[in-house]
Amino acid sequence: MAYSNKLLDHFKNPRNVGTLDKAKKNVGTGLVGAPECGDVMRLQIEVDDATGMIQDAKFKTFGCGSAIASSSLATEWLKGKTVDQALSIDNMDIVEELALPPVKIHCSVLAEDAIKAAIADYKEKNKVAAEANATA
Amino acid sequence: MGARKIYLDNNSTTPCDPRVVEAMVPYFYEHHGNAASRNHPFGWEAEEAVDYAREQVAKLINVDPKEIIFTSGATEGDNLALKGVYEMYSRKGNHIITPKTEHKAVLDTCKRLEKQGAEVTYLDVKPDGLIDLAELEAAIKPNTIMVSVMWANNETGVIQPMKEIGEICAKHGVLFFSDATQAVGKIKTHPKELGIHLMAFTAHKMYGPKGVGALYVSRKSPRVKVTAQMDGGGHERGMRSGTLNVPGIVGFGKAAEIALQEMEQDAERLSKLRDKLEKAMFNELEEVYVNGNVNHRMPHVTNISFKHVEGEGLMMTFNQEIALSSGSACTSASLEPSYVLVALGLGDDLAHSSLRFSLGRFTTEEDVNYAIEAVKKGVNHMRDLSPIWEMYKEGVDLTKIEWAEH
């Protein structure tokens, strides 16, 4: 199976590999997949409280080349978007950008799931924090 | 970069030995006859060449040339042995016993026979990949007609206790068939001495051409018969119709002759290289596991799991330069990892993390040294990227995490 140059580039030179401090209130973490399935993605976003923009995004992925490239691309796309804009990223955008073959579409689905999970975690944390502030 | 290409996937297929190719060439044009043409010199030349090759192949496995049926390969040999025996011996019974780690050519054939009324027992294997002899014996019933056990496993290289299995089969009067594709030409495989009645193998795993194989069928004590699965001109004493692939058979014969002369020295050299590769992985990387019994396996094979690294992704770090196989089936529609490794009791995570290295006659020490460095680099790269490696390093118990299965 021949992969696209964009995919190979993201695989060989993955962007934004790393870990954000998940204890921070403005960091949302999404962990999706399972080792038994051969794919685990952890995607994190750090949101600028003042602007609501995603100022940083990091990932680590256990998986095949397409899974790694999909999550690397996702972090690039997340930066500079607001949380709500980020929710509109669709897995088919990733499929198209990386020219994923049909058997690898699930990798893009997993990346979309990871984005949604990270945002949900961020929202959950900040809702709780907001309520805590309100009752104080 | 790019210029170097190292082939460590010899269990998939081996390159044709140049001496084999040389032997084949005249049979494409100069001596192009049909071995079944009895009335002119073209046919005679072809027949003579086939007879000679049959002797070369028979000699390698120490059987009578009349006991060799040429086929298109081991898959056909497996089909012919299983279906042919099932049909021929249907009056005696309908039960077949085979381990879960067999090649798909055996397992899928058994599944088809089940649809036609066969009863098949699929034996578990022990964590080292060997079958449990007591379990095998206990599975034999009055209606058992055949036991089918592969000589050496394609994924792990594990060699089954053929002699002991042969004794059990003889004791209970059941036929013993072996898919010996991975063993013939690489280690001594003499079926008669071990009580094996039928044995399938192929040329392209032993430096011969693709598209030609053989099925050994015992003619004496016992005389075994198989029902033909291909109808036609009655070639191969009626057991396999179809014009003989003369150049392929000539190449197969030459490959057998070379194997007989060289397999011992090849095995000795390759086992040293294999051990070197394995040792390097163990000494220089953490969390490395060898799959399958290391004392009963083929000299040129090792199957290694690199924990918390996905095999296909790992291969992608060096697959422009190094060819090998992974037990991860990330490309398959099912996303299931290797059923062979799962049968050994490996967790799906370790099965997904496995690579199979299979060296061959043309593998050099330089190749192995290069592969060691590339794999080490790849594993470290992939672990730097792996969230579960990070969690493992932080002491998180991965079994306690509720994974979102997808």
Side-chain angles (χ1 to χ4, degrees):
Chain A
M1 182 164 28
Y3 289 109
S4 69
N5 289 334
K6 262 185 198 161
L7 187 150
L8 290 172
D9 181 42
H10 272 283
F11 175 71
K12 290 198 169 136
N13 311 297
R15 333 287 201 254
N16 308 311
V17 175
T19 309
L20 298 173
D21 181 1
K22 65 177 178 223
K24 278 167 83 172
K25 190 171 71 81
N26 63 335
V27 169
T29 302
L31 181 68
V32 296
E36 291 73 28
C37 305
D39 287 304
V40 176
M41 266 181 208
R42 190 191 61 203
L43 199 146
Q44 295 181 300
I45 52 170
E46 183 163 359
V47 181
D48 183 332
D49 285 330
T51 62
M53 296 255 256
I54 297 171
Q55 59 188 27
D56 201 1
K58 296 265 186 225
F59 86 97
K60 277 201 175 185
T61 291
F62 161 83
C64 63
S66 301
I68 287 165
S70 295
S71 32
S72 168
L73 177 66
T75 57
E76 266 196 340
W77 281 356
L78 284 168
K79 283 200 211 178
K81 284 198 167 63
T82 66
V83 169
D84 288 330
Q85 283 167 343
L87 278 173
S88 69
I89 295 174
D90 186 75
N91 82 291
M92 288 313 288
D93 301 337
I94 297 172
V95 171
E96 215 168 288
E97 180 72 12
L98 298 176
L100 291 183
V103 292
K104 294 296 186 184
I105 287 177
H106 70 276
C107 298
S108 68
V109 174
L110 203 61
E112 188 189 316
D113 289 350
I115 294 171
K116 299 226 151 83
I119 291 171
D121 181 53
Y122 166 78
K123 285 191 167 170
E124 180 66 26
K125 267 175 155 177
N126 285 279
K127 185 187 80 188
V128 172
E131 280 169 4
N133 283 341
T135 52
Chain B
M1 287 279 279
R4 200 179 180 101
K5 275 210 274 177
I6 295 170
Y7 189 73
L8 299 179
D9 203 15
N10 286 275
N11 276 16
S12 293
T13 190
T14 52
C16 229
D17 192 299
R19 294 168 286 182
V20 167
V21 178
E22 201 186 332
M24 290 170 70
V25 168
Y27 292 90
F28 285 101
Y29 187 79
E30 218 179 319
H31 310 300
H32 67 270
N34 185 329
S37 298
R38 294 275 155 76
N39 302 312
H40 53 65
F42 294 92
W44 302 334
E45 282 163 6
E47 192 186 16
E48 208 173 292
V50 167
D51 285 346
Y52 185 62
R54 201 185 299 279
E55 279 172 31
Q56 289 170 310
V57 171
K59 202 172 169 196
L60 174 65
I61 63 168
N62 200 25
V63 302
D64 189 293
K66 289 199 186 77
E67 296 177 307
I68 296 292
I69 299 171
F70 285 119
T71 64
S72 62
T75 292
E76 189 191 334
D78 289 342
N79 273 264
L80 178 55
L82 292 159
K83 292 174 182 170
V85 163
Y86 178 73
E87 278 184 45
M88 185 61 75
Y89 294 82
S90 58
R91 284 169 291 110
K92 285 198 160 180
N94 66 339
H95 183 225
I96 298 168
I97 303 170
T98 195
K100 288 180 179 167
T101 49
E102 290 290 295
H103 192 270
K104 285 285 179 194
V106 167
L107 293 176
D108 286 359
T109 302
C110 285
K111 279 190 193 122
R112 181 178 291 268
L113 290 176
E114 279 182 294
K115 284 185 195 144
Q116 295 168 7
E119 183 190 344
V120 182
T121 300
Y122 299 96
L123 291 178
D124 285 321
V125 294
K126 297 185 280 189
D128 64 0
L130 294 174
I131 64 162
D132 183 327
L133 293 166
E135 221 169 274
L136 167 68
E137 189 160 16
I140 296 176
K141 306 191 290 186
N143 63 336
T144 305
I145 49 172
M146 176 167 45
V147 169
S148 166
V149 180
M150 73 198 319
W151 200 303
N153 187 268
N154 48 314
E155 292 192 28
T156 59
V158 166
I159 298 170
Q160 297 292 348
M162 303 308 280
K163 184 166 175 280
E164 290 78 2
I165 298 168
E167 284 163 4
I168 291 170
C169 291
K171 186 174 148 194
H172 295 273
V174 300
L175 292 176
F176 181 14
F177 161 62
S178 181
D179 171 352
T181 305
Q182 295 291 347
V184 173
K186 311 224 176 84
I187 58 170
K188 186 177 152 191
T189 47
H190 292 177
K192 275 187 186 305
E193 293 156 31
L194 305 180
I196 297 166
H197 308 111
L198 303 105
M199 184 170 92
F201 52 108
T202 190
H204 79 98
K205 308 277 194 199
M206 48 185 272
Y207 313 99
K210 292 165 186 62
V212 58
L215 178 67
Y216 153 75
V217 182
S218 168
R219 269 167 68 89
K220 261 193 227 152
S221 58
R223 182 185 176 89
V224 177
K225 289 174 97 178
V226 294
T227 303
Q229 300 299 310
M230 191 89 83
D231 296 314
H235 307 76
E236 298 298 273
R237 287 191 314 287
M239 287 193 264
R240 200 273 186 182
S241 286
T243 297
L244 292 176
N245 168 6
V246 178
I249 289 168
V250 166
F252 191 8
K254 185 67 185 175
E257 181 192 302
I258 297 169
L260 189 60
Q261 289 160 0
E262 300 184 1
M263 72 179 158
E264 233 172 283
Q265 71 198 54
D266 278 349
E268 199 188 320
R269 188 179 71 86
L270 294 178
S271 68
K272 279 186 192 145
L273 289 183
R274 187 267 316 269
D275 293 346
K276 177 179 186 176
L277 186 144
E278 230 168 48
K279 230 173 252 159
M281 296 297 136
F282 271 104
N283 291 343
E284 295 167 51
L285 291 169
E286 295 170 73
E287 294 294 310
V288 172
Y289 302 87
V290 172
N291 301 313
N293 189 306
V294 295
N295 299 315
H296 298 277
R297 64 172 168 166
M298 296 297 290
H300 62 287
V301 186
T302 179
N303 187 308
I304 305 180
S305 285
F306 302 91
K307 209 170 184 185
H308 307 317
V309 171
E310 199 276 329
E312 196 205 328
L314 172 57
M315 272 202 312
M316 234 173 108
T317 64
F318 49 68
N319 68 1
Q320 300 294 320
E321 286 137 356
I322 304 172
L324 37 78
S325 286
S326 168
S328 153
C330 210
T331 40
S332 79
S334 67
L335 303 179
E336 298 284 329
S338 150
Y339 67 92
V340 171
L341 297 180
V342 170
L344 263 61
L346 257 74
D348 282 1
D349 54 338
L350 273 182
H352 275 297
S353 303
S354 70
L355 294 184
R356 176 188 73 186
F357 302 82
S358 47
L359 318 188
R361 185 179 289 159
F362 304 103
T363 306
T364 65
E365 179 153 17
E366 257 193 323
D367 291 343
V368 171
N369 291 340
Y370 190 85
I372 289 170
E373 291 312 312
V375 174
K376 263 169 31 190
K377 207 173 129 202
V379 170
N380 287 325
H381 173 74
M382 295 299 280
R383 281 182 173 165
D384 286 343
L385 283 178
S386 169
I388 51 179
W389 179 252
E390 183 187 297
M391 291 180 214
Y392 163 75
K393 280 299 199 182
E394 286 168 354
V396 175
D397 184 352
L398 294 168
T399 60
K400 297 256 161 67
I401 294 179
E402 273 187 46
W403 299 103
E405 308 251 349
H406 59 286

